[in-house]
Amino acid sequence: MFRDRYDVIVVGAGPAGSMAARTAAEHGLDVLLIEKRQEIGVPVRCAEATGKRGLEELGIKIDRRWIANEIRGWILVSPSGLRVSRVMKDVQGYILERKLFDKYLAIDAARKGAEVFAKTMATGLIVENGFVRGVKLKHMGEKHEVRAEIVIGADGVESRIARWAGLRDVVKKMVNSASNVQFKMVGVRLEAPDIMEFYFGRNVAPGGYLWVFPKGEDFANVGVGIQGSEQRAIYYLRKFIAENRERFRGASIVEINAGLTPVGGPLEKTYGNGFMIVGDAASFIDPLTGGGIYTAMLTGKLAAETAAEAIEAGDTSENFLARYQERWREALGRKIEMQLKVKEALLNLSDEDLDKIAEILQGKDLTSIGKKDVLKLFVEHPKLFKYIKDFLGV
Amino acid sequence: MIVIDRERCLSCAACASVCPTGALEMLELHLVYDQSSCTNCGICVRKCPVGALEMRD
């Protein structure tokens, strides 16, 4: 069973936690990775799309077993139905099979030397002299207290570790979030099996978007994320399916997923004495797209690398662990700031504005747009300048 | 107080994630509600993607 102490305890075996555990084990640390559910990877709370470059950068070798589909482009559909698309020759990203992907990452962490325990819930932290010193656990009804030099909280949007450790803005970050619901549907007529579809508009997905992400020839994740609406997310999903009867005629719902996507940017502070918070638990999610798989894995890796250095130096104080925050800021800070600005600008655009932008971009080859084309676009359509200005917040 | 419609609940944890007092909490896949720590703020009701929560007096 559990040892009395480890170098690092990671709470939560999603992509962030498993990546943290694997990285810590690779650095020669004693690692315990716990997952409260009896099966890693379920339930899925994700639209399962991720970029190819991100996986490559993190050194994840593509394994057909957890790839549902390859993606080569996207299509954006404006409120009045105007379409803007961009399709590349090469594979740009994947729709994952998260149930298998998450298991693969946890198995990989175990093979690299981490101890992994499913059905093991954190019920509290061991805190001494203002330092997190371990985790109180419950496994199959038995209680344990396990000590660690560093605790990494990878416990998702419902994070308890961040709250217990005293990070005050956790709830505020979670409230600034989109509510999502998704049907996994089979028998759907798709635009193309390698193109992700996004739909926008006040009546389609207020404060968010609706997606159709193909997982196969006739199989797709069809979901919606909304924010600040009186109606529930499920209302908009059902409405879309009803209004697109032709595409969904005879289609079946084989799984229903739901969840929350924090879209207000990461926690102000993601560390403290003896702990760090990674992935969804710290709101590491692209505020514009709602994507979080890459940022989860990256922050898990950065936290584990920092943990290895801290343990080596014999200093797990927040002064030392501040390196983790410096590192993720260096890697993600600018991108997140930019995406937040674009999101704010988009939220301020009316359906009519969105249609106008779509009208201008429609039919343009977006893959080969250069500076000259952009300039020409501005000259031909002076109004666009205002939108782009708002867009960039300049 | 909050009333949970268990027939609709998808155990997605949206409510538990936004609950300021931890009155709603997910055990493995089971949502538990502690009325004594609930402040009736209603954030969970607004965030539920499927309308499984309702506020009652």
Side-chain angles (χ1 to χ4, degrees):
Chain A
M1 282 305 285
F2 308 102
R3 275 183 270 156
D4 291 336
R5 66 182 311 132
Y6 293 83
D7 291 324
V8 176
I9 299 176
V10 182
V11 179
S18 289
M19 194 69 186
R22 181 189 112 178
T23 308
E26 283 172 339
H27 281 77
L29 301 180
D30 275 333
V31 190
L32 173 66
L33 170 62
I34 61 167
E35 166 56 50
K36 75 176 173 182
R37 301 196 179 85
Q38 71 184 58
E39 183 178 353
I40 290 167
V42 289
V44 173
R45 291 174 186 157
C46 183
E48 304 183 293
T50 200
K52 186 181 176 209
R53 223 184 308 158
L55 291 178
E56 283 170 356
E57 185 198 307
L58 292 164
I60 307 285
K61 265 208 206 109
I62 301 301
D63 186 330
R64 292 283 137 192
R65 281 172 296 183
W66 44 257
I67 298 280
N69 205 5
E70 291 176 335
I71 294 299
R72 286 185 179 75
W74 42 255
I75 176 162
L76 310 179
V77 183
S78 81
S80 72
L82 300 174
R83 305 146 80 84
V84 177
S85 65
R86 181 176 179 173
V87 182
M88 313 289 271
K89 258 195 225 129
D90 301 321
V91 172
Q92 302 297 304
Y94 304 99
I95 307 299
L96 303 176
E97 205 61 74
R98 277 290 302 274
K99 281 170 203 175
L100 301 177
F101 181 68
D102 286 28
K103 282 189 188 83
Y104 163 89
L105 291 178
I107 290 167
D108 199 30
R111 289 203 174 122
K112 298 272 159 57
E115 275 181 38
V116 184
F117 270 95
K119 205 163 172 68
T120 304
M121 191 159 102
T123 57
L125 292 173
I126 302 168
V127 181
E128 288 166 3
N129 305 321
F131 271 76
V132 172
R133 297 290 193 197
V135 181
K136 294 172 185 166
L137 309 177
K138 213 169 156 186
H139 173 71
M140 304 290 290
E142 294 162 19
K143 288 179 183 170
H144 300 267
E145 290 205 2
V146 184
R147 300 179 69 85
E149 300 296 319
I150 289 176
V151 172
I152 296 179
D155 47 341
V157 291
E158 53 192 293
S159 178
R160 288 288 174 263
I161 302 296
R163 292 190 189 203
W164 290 332
L167 299 180
R168 294 274 160 233
D169 58 336
V170 177
V171 174
K172 207 174 74 195
K173 286 292 176 187
M174 294 306 162
V175 169
N176 187 358
S177 60
S179 298
N180 314 301
V181 65
Q182 170 176 277
F183 292 161
K184 281 190 170 21
M185 297 184 80
V186 65
V188 181
R189 279 157 211 82
L190 293 168
E191 196 69 41
D194 56 355
I195 295 185
M196 296 161 70
E197 304 168 38
F198 300 83
Y199 295 81
F200 300 87
R202 294 267 182 275
N203 297 316
V204 180
Y209 63 84
L210 187 145
W211 64 84
V212 179
F213 291 174
K215 293 194 81 174
E217 288 292 324
D218 68 339
F219 186 34
N221 286 336
V222 184
V224 67
I226 61 156
Q227 193 173 10
S229 167
E230 279 306 305
Q231 294 287 353
R232 302 289 159 242
I234 188 109
Y235 163 86
Y236 292 99
L237 185 54
R238 286 197 180 125
K239 183 167 172 278
F240 180 78
I241 291 167
E243 286 171 0
N244 291 275
R245 241 174 240 122
E246 270 312 305
R247 299 189 62 185
F248 295 104
R249 177 164 295 153
S252 295
I253 299 165
V254 293
E255 184 176 325
I256 305 180
N257 315 123
L260 203 69
T261 310
V263 287
L267 296 179
E268 294 301 322
K269 191 173 168 223
T270 53
Y271 63 96
N273 290 326
F275 75 93
M276 289 172 272
I277 309 294
V278 300
D280 281 7
S283 285
F284 279 117
I285 284 180
D286 182 322
L288 180 64
T289 64
I293 299 170
Y294 167 73
T295 44
M297 292 195 289
L298 178 65
T299 53
K301 181 167 176 267
L302 296 176
E305 286 167 357
T306 308
E309 290 169 11
I311 290 167
E312 167 88 34
D315 181 1
T316 60
S317 71
E318 62 176 355
N319 286 337
F320 195 100
L321 299 184
R323 283 187 191 190
Y324 162 55
Q325 182 132 348
E326 283 161 24
R327 278 179 186 153
W328 69 249
R329 267 203 206 288
E330 170 88 28
L332 299 168
R334 269 187 61 121
K335 169 99 189 283
I336 291 171
E337 289 305 316
M338 182 72 181
Q339 297 290 75
L340 273 171
K341 273 186 186 164
V342 175
K343 186 194 74 169
E344 288 309 316
L346 270 178
L347 286 176
N348 285 323
L349 294 180
S350 67
D351 278 4
E352 292 70 31
D353 292 336
L354 289 173
D355 281 327
K356 272 178 210 155
I357 294 174
E359 203 176 313
I360 293 165
L361 295 177
Q362 222 183 2
K364 295 263 189 308
D365 179 7
L366 297 181
T367 53
S368 59
I369 272 189
K371 274 184 191 157
K372 256 188 184 168
D373 299 304
V374 175
L375 213 64
K376 202 170 143 222
L377 218 60
F378 281 140
V379 175
E380 281 172 16
H381 308 276
K383 261 197 126 178
L384 183 66
F385 189 66
K386 177 191 167 295
Y387 296 127
I388 300 289
K389 245 180 73 166
D390 290 346
F391 226 71
L392 301 178
V394 290
Chain B
M1 64 177 286
I2 299 298
V3 179
I4 306 164
D5 182 344
R6 301 269 173 194
E7 303 272 318
R8 278 193 208 184
C9 176
L10 295 172
S11 299
C12 80
C15 56
S17 307
V18 296
C19 179
T21 61
L24 284 159
E25 211 167 343
M26 291 298 295
L27 297 183
E28 193 188 348
L29 274 176
H30 186 71
L31 177 63
V32 288
Y33 173 57
D34 172 20
Q35 199 190 328
S36 67
S37 51
C38 176
T39 60
N40 298 301
C41 69
I43 297 171
C44 57
V45 177
R46 291 210 309 276
K47 287 293 176 181
C48 179
V50 294
L53 299 177
E54 202 187 313
M55 187 92 89
R56 291 226 189 112
D57 290 331

